[in-house]
């Protein structure tokens, strides 16, 4: 098949390039489509004052999760977190989820019940209704999909491309890099266990970061706090691929750059200790580690006093007019370019 056709490797295009390439020839027919591809959610006209939000995510065994260390109950919870997080990233209110599963005969009823016990816990936590999905057979491991639906008022929706200008503050919720280090620990323990099955891992000292990996929380509380404070961010997204990658999206969408201060990066002591023990730089882990499901947003300088007093919000940098130039100012005062993926480029 395709012997004579020219062949372009998908790896050359990257995920985002591929999506843009595929989407370019599609026309928009429905006048209720407010925003299609390109943000955390699709935005659809709901009524005069509000939009509906929709997001969908695919999770494959062996790519996104490893069942040798991911308990099914936690996996169900994490799936809902991922869906809900995209709704929150638009400053929205999550309302419904649809979940589709592809199961092989390796799974028993009890196993699927475990998965759904986690889904139910998350639905209770985020106050969302499970309203549909699809169930089918899989020949290649467990396949999961979540579609999350929500709503947002037209006056408080926050896009990736928005109202942002130089000197605006870049703010992050919670702490960074924990989920990535949790995964490093779990993968190391798995390797040890495969070699010496009698070895019982002692994971208690890693409880926080392992929890961040296996059972992350979506930041509904941060969105509620923003509302309480009367703050509507200029732009916002959730951190699924790591801050370095997400600021690249924000910079590109708004033709801006960011300066980030290493000393401001919020990193939990357990993340720091574990990174150091793995010979990794904790700041690089915080910038590049994915799956934290924290929120990243900008606010104007006039919100400085309001934001700085919130322990769960950290101002990590500010917006610059250097288009697509994202820089890390180190603790020693040196400046590095932050690459969209991977490690910061050579020192200037
Ligand atoms: P996130 O980082 O929030 O998970 P993604 O990187 O998965 O977002 O997706 C980026 C954008 O591309 C979203 O608007 C999403 O709906 C869209 N998208 C992703 N894959 C496809 C696809 N196969 N076809 C059409 N749109 C897609
Ligand atoms: Mg997202």
């Amino acid at each position: 098949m395709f012997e004579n056709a020219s062949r372009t490797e998908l790896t050359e295009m990257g995920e985002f390039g591929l999506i843009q390439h595929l989407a370019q020839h599609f026309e928009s027919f429905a006048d209720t489509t407010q925003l299609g591809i390109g943000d955390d959610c699709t935005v659809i006209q709901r009524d005069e004052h509000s939009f509906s939000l929709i997001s969908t995510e695919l999770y494959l065994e062996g790519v996104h999760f490893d069942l040798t260390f991911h308990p099914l109950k936690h996996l169900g919870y994490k799936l809902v977190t991922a869906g809900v997080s995209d709704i929150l990233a638009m400053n929205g209110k999550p309302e419904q989820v649809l979940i589709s599963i592809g199961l092989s005969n390796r799974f028993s009823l009890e196993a699927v019940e475990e998965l759904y016990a986690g889904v139910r816990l998350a639905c209770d936590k985020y106050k969302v209704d499970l309203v549909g999905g699809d169930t089918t057979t899989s020949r290649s491991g467990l396949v999961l999909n979540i579609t999350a639906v929500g709503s947002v008022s037209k006056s408080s929706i926050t896009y990736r491309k928005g109202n942002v200008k130089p000197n605006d503050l870049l703010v992050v919720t919670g702490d960074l890099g924990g989920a990535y280090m949790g995964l490093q620990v779990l993968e190391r323990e798995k390797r040890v266990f495969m070699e010496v099955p009698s070895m019982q891992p002692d994971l208690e000292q890693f409880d926080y970061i392992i929890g961040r990996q296996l059972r992350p929380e979506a930041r509904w509380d941060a969105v509620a706090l923003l509302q309480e404070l009367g703050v509507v961010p200029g732009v916002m997204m959730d951190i699924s691929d790591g801050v370095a990658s997400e600021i690249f999206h924000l910079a590109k969408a708004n033709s801006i750059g960011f300066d980030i201060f290493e000393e401001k990066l919020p990193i939990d002591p357990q993340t720091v200790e574990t990174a150091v023990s793995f010979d990794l730089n904790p700041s690089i882990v915080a910038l590049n580690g994915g799956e934290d499901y924290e929120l990243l947003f900008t606010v104007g300088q006039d919100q400085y006093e309001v934001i700085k007093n919130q322990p769960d919000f950290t101002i990590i940098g500010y917006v610059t007019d250097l288009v697509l130039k994202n820089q890390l100012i180190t603790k020693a005062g040196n400046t590095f370019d932050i690459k969209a993926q991977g490690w910061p480029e050579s020192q200037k």
Side-chain angles (χ1 to χ4, degrees), residues 44-60:
I44 294 174
Q45 298 280 354
R46 178 175 282 208
D47 55 41
E48 202 187 327
H49 304 291
S50 65
F51 294 122
S52 293
L53 302 168
I54 308 176
S55 157
T56 193
E57 301 268 346
L58 186 60
Y59 275 80
L60 304 182

Side-chain angles (χ1 to χ4, degrees), residues 40 86 160 238 240:
D40 292 287
D86 273 334
R160 290 183 185 183
D238 67 340
S240 42

Side-chain angles (χ1 to χ4, degrees), residues 110-233:
E110 288 72 20
V112 185
E113 280 178 340
E114 269 298 293
L115 182 75
Y116 270 71
V119 168
R120 191 163 60 83
L121 259 180
C123 287
D124 286 349
K125 177 69 177 276
Y126 303 127
K127 304 277 181 287
V128 295
D129 302 336
L130 173 66
V131 293
D134 196 13
T135 304
T136 182
T137 304
S138 164
R139 286 171 210 258
S140 56
L142 180 61
V143 176
L144 300 172
N145 168 250
I146 179 147
T147 301
V149 181
S151 66
V152 63
S153 74
K154 291 187 177 179
S155 57
S156 54
I157 188 167
T158 52
Y159 296 101
R160 290 183 185 183
K161 178 177 167 49
N163 172 21
V164 60
K165 57 189 179 311
N167 294 324
D168 281 359
L169 309 170
L170 181 65
V171 185
V172 70
T173 62
D175 60 84
L176 303 171
Y180 177 79
M181 285 320 303
L183 182 62
Q184 300 314 303
V185 169
L186 289 163
E187 285 183 339
R188 179 180 69 187
E189 295 312 317
K190 181 184 170 183
R191 283 193 298 275
V192 171
F193 181 78
M194 305 272 257
E195 279 165 29
V196 192
S198 59
M199 284 276 283
Q200 279 302 313
D202 176 15
L203 296 177
E204 211 169 292
Q205 56 175 313
F206 304 112
D207 57 348
Y208 177 67
I209 56 174
I210 287 177
R212 295 283 285 171
Q213 169 58 220
L214 297 180
R215 194 182 176 285
E217 297 286 348
R219 298 312 307 265
W220 60 273
D221 53 335
V223 169
L225 180 58
L226 283 170
Q227 205 168 5
E228 202 179 298
L229 297 171
V231 175
V232 177

Side-chain angles (χ1 to χ4, degrees), residues 28-34 45:
S28 178
F29 297 108
D31 54 13
T32 46
T33 306
Q34 173 75 12
Q45 298 280 354

Side-chain angles (χ1 to χ4, degrees), residues 322-342:
L322 303 174
V323 179
L324 275 181
K325 196 158 180 63
N326 299 321
Q327 309 185 110
L328 180 71
I329 323 297
T330 68
K331 290 175 189 165
N334 299 317
T335 304
F336 290 85
D337 280 351
I338 301 173
K339 297 266 280 177
Q341 238 97 34

Side-chain angles (χ1 to χ4, degrees), residues 84-119:
V84 161
S85 181
D86 273 334
I87 304 287
L88 296 170
M90 311 292 294
N91 213 13
K93 177 173 172 282
E95 292 170 340
Q96 291 91 12
V97 291
L98 295 89
I99 291 180
S100 300
I101 48 177
L103 295 164
S104 68
N105 54 13
R106 186 158 60 94
F107 290 88
S108 61
L109 169 65
E110 288 72 20
V112 185
E113 280 178 340
E114 269 298 293
L115 182 75
Y116 270 71
V119 168

